């Protein structure tokens, strides 16, 4: 089933968040930051493995290079990362006014964190185009840890972000599955290669090695669709 990865991701948030609520009641405080940081670095190493799994799917080196370069330039020109940051702050301020306190904060913070990023997009595309779910399974593990940490501090609102994740990633997955017959195996392979490069960059970010504005690279995933028509 093409929505398996998204479903597992949503369930991971529910399970992780539920454990976080239990720990909050038992410990009366959040999870120590050093433990969460260590686990995130471990998941970052696993992301490296997942990235290399599809890194060599494509056979058109120039398509990959041009996709990354042009995609980065397009994303920087559109300032996708900056717009996303400003949108997040604006929504957070609006939700904070007259909200129910930690519920709204937990729901919004978790939704933005889980929905925004390269893994949500590349994983959903992988599910829709190839019916494989390794990226979303890894994201589910990562999100469950984050949900545990967030819920232990921000409360039950974090668990409700699982609904946002299911709708967001499920929509991308279904759209990708509809578009698949019109793309062809070669185009899908190049999209997998570019997506794997972005996952590798994400792993460097997660391990604290190199911080990058990954949202500005996101257009690169879709450029093979256009470049294959000219090359």
């Amino acid at each position: 089933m093409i929505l398996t990865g998204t479903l597992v991701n949503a369930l991971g948030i529910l399970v992780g968040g539920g454990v976080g609520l239990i720990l909050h009641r038992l410990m009366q405080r959040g999870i120590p930051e050093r433990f969460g940081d260590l686990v995130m670095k471990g998941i970052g190493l696993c992301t490296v493995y997942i990235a290399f799994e599809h890194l060599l799917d494509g056979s058109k080196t120039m398509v990959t290079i041009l996709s990354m370069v042009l995609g980065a330039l397009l994303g920087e020109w559109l300032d996708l990362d900056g717009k996303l940051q400003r949108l997040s702050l604006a929504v957070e301020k609006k939700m904070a006014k007259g909200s129910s306190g930690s519920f709204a904060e937990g729901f919004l913070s978790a939704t933005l964190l889980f929905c925004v990023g390269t893994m949500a997009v590349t994983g959903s595309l992988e599910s829709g185009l190839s019916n494989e779910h390794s990226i979303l399974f890894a994201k589910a593990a990562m999100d469950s840890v984050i949900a545990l940490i967030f819920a232990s501090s921000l409360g039950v609102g974090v668990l409700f972000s699982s609904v946002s994740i299911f709708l967001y990633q499920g929509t991308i997955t279904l759209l990708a599955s509809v578009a698949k017959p019109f793309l062809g195996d070669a185009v899908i392979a190049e999209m997998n290669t570019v997506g794997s490069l972005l996952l590798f960059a994400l792993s460097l970010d997660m391990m604290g090695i190199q911080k990058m504005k990954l949202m500005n690279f996101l257009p690169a995933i879709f450029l093979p669709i256009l470049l294959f028509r000219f090359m």
Side-chain angles (χ1 to χ4, degrees), residues 9-11 13-14 114 158-167:
N9 198 168
L11 290 175
I13 293 171
L14 289 173
F114 297 149
V158 174
L159 277 70
F160 282 84
S161 65
S162 60
V163 178
S164 305
I165 272 289
F166 185 81
L167 294 175

Side-chain angles (χ1 to χ4, degrees), residues 34-50 138 141-142 145 203 206-208:
R34 68 181 188 277
F35 291 111
D37 183 64
L38 183 64
V39 172
M40 289 299 293
K41 284 183 168 60
I43 296 176
L45 288 172
C46 295
T47 305
V48 174
Y49 169 77
I50 296 171
M142 181 176 69
V145 174
S203 69
M206 292 170 62
M207 292 185 288

